[in-house]
Amino acid sequence: VLLVAYLGYVGLGAGVLQALERPAEVQAAQNLLQQHWELLANHTCLQGPALRRLIEGIIQAYKSGVTLQGNTTSLGRWDFSGSFFFSISAITTIGYGNLSPSTVAGRIFCILFALFGIPLNLVLLNEIGQLMLLGVQHCAHRLEEVFHWQKKASLLVKTCALVTGLLLFLLLPPLLFSDKEGWSYEEGFYYSFVTLSTIGFGDYVIGMNPDRTYPGWYKNVISLWILFGMAWLALVIKFCINFLE
């Protein structure tokens, strides 16, 4: 029964997503073909195969973190700050996919790094989650002692912890992303949930716009937000699991 419910839920998601996203995909494909043929028609010196190789080269360079800026190129995704953020996304299993090692040595190191880093990350998240849970239980116990509440104290503290977590990890960060990335609030909220839930699609990633200047503390603060936010969301998901079971 559980397997049928699971498959039915996934099938429902697939059907809804197909209905919502398929028309946009078709329209994007038509626009791309139209721009391709217009470019070749307006610039007869260009040839189809050469243009395709250029496009493929640009895509490959972008995946490696290189972007064109006028007559120069922009680097910076593999500086220490960018590499630190990539390391965080690797061992937290977010795996945005917008950046990945391109050398054999880098890929081998990434495997070994993740092999030991993922368990280390899980242990740390578990400890942070336990500390958060102990803090909630301690506050509930203090309320019971002071006001002689019983079930009300536990419910009140859990509600406050949930609201505080929602503010700190999901509702307020999009305001920062709107300021630093130029995203809308909806895009920032979407990025926040996709990141903290470790889905990590990679369609939105902070600090990757070559046209913007980011402060040095930005990615470090976001790394801490990811760690504590994942621990908080893991507790929320754990409560949901207990409810479903």
Side-chain angles (χ1 to χ4, degrees), residues 10-237:
V10 174
L12 174 64
V16 172
L17 286 171
Q18 181 183 15
L20 293 175
E21 297 296 330
R22 184 66 175 178
E25 180 188 34
V26 172
Q27 184 62 44
Q30 292 174 349
N31 292 339
L32 179 61
L33 282 175
Q34 182 179 357
Q35 293 172 8
H36 175 264
W37 290 118
E38 286 179 355
L39 183 63
L40 291 177
N42 295 330
H43 301 80
T44 55
C45 59
L46 288 176
Q47 295 181 354
L51 178 60
R52 185 171 61 253
R53 288 194 297 271
L54 175 62
I55 294 174
E56 291 174 352
I58 292 174
I59 294 173
Q60 187 60 42
Y62 181 79
K63 289 181 178 179
S64 301
V66 180
T67 56
L68 287 173
Q69 287 186 324
N71 294 325
T72 62
T73 55
S74 171
L75 302 174
R77 291 194 180 185
W78 284 114
D79 57 9
F80 183 80
S81 177
S83 300
F84 183 84
F85 190 72
F86 171 79
S87 300
I88 289 287
S89 69
I91 65 174
T92 54
T93 70
I94 296 173
Y96 289 115
N98 69 310
L99 190 63
S100 57
S102 59
T103 64
V104 175
R107 289 168 179 167
I108 293 175
F109 174 77
C110 187
I111 293 172
L112 297 174
F113 180 74
L115 185 63
F116 294 98
I118 291 174
L120 177 63
N121 176 74
L122 291 175
V123 170
L124 176 63
L125 289 181
N126 183 62
E127 290 298 320
I128 293 174
Q130 291 300 320
L131 287 175
M132 289 180 176
L133 193 58
L134 285 175
V136 170
Q137 292 173 347
H138 178 72
C139 290
H141 183 66
R142 292 292 297 169
L143 285 176
E144 289 176 3
E145 290 180 344
V146 174
F147 298 101
H148 303 290
W149 293 342
Q150 294 181 354
K151 293 183 178 180
K152 290 183 178 179
S154 178
L155 179 61
L156 177 63
V157 172
K158 288 180 179 179
T159 303
C160 290
L162 178 62
V163 172
T164 302
L166 281 172
L167 286 172
L168 290 178
F169 302 120
L170 287 178
L171 298 180
L172 292 180
L175 299 177
L176 176 64
F177 300 141
S178 296
D179 178 57
K180 300 300 180 184
E181 305 290 341
W183 299 340
S184 66
Y185 185 85
E186 178 271 328
E187 290 171 329
F189 183 83
Y190 168 79
Y191 166 78
S192 299
F193 181 80
V194 166
T195 293
L196 298 185
S197 60
T198 72
I199 296 173
F201 289 123
D203 48 353
Y204 290 92
V205 184
I206 59 104
M208 295 298 172
N209 190 341
D211 298 324
R212 287 183 172 266
T213 301
Y214 301 99
W217 52 265
Y218 183 51
K219 286 187 178 180
N220 296 329
V221 169
I222 298 303
S223 297
L224 291 176
W225 166 75
I226 288 175
L227 284 176
F228 286 92
M230 283 180 61
W232 171 80
L233 191 59
L235 288 177
V236 175
I237 292 175

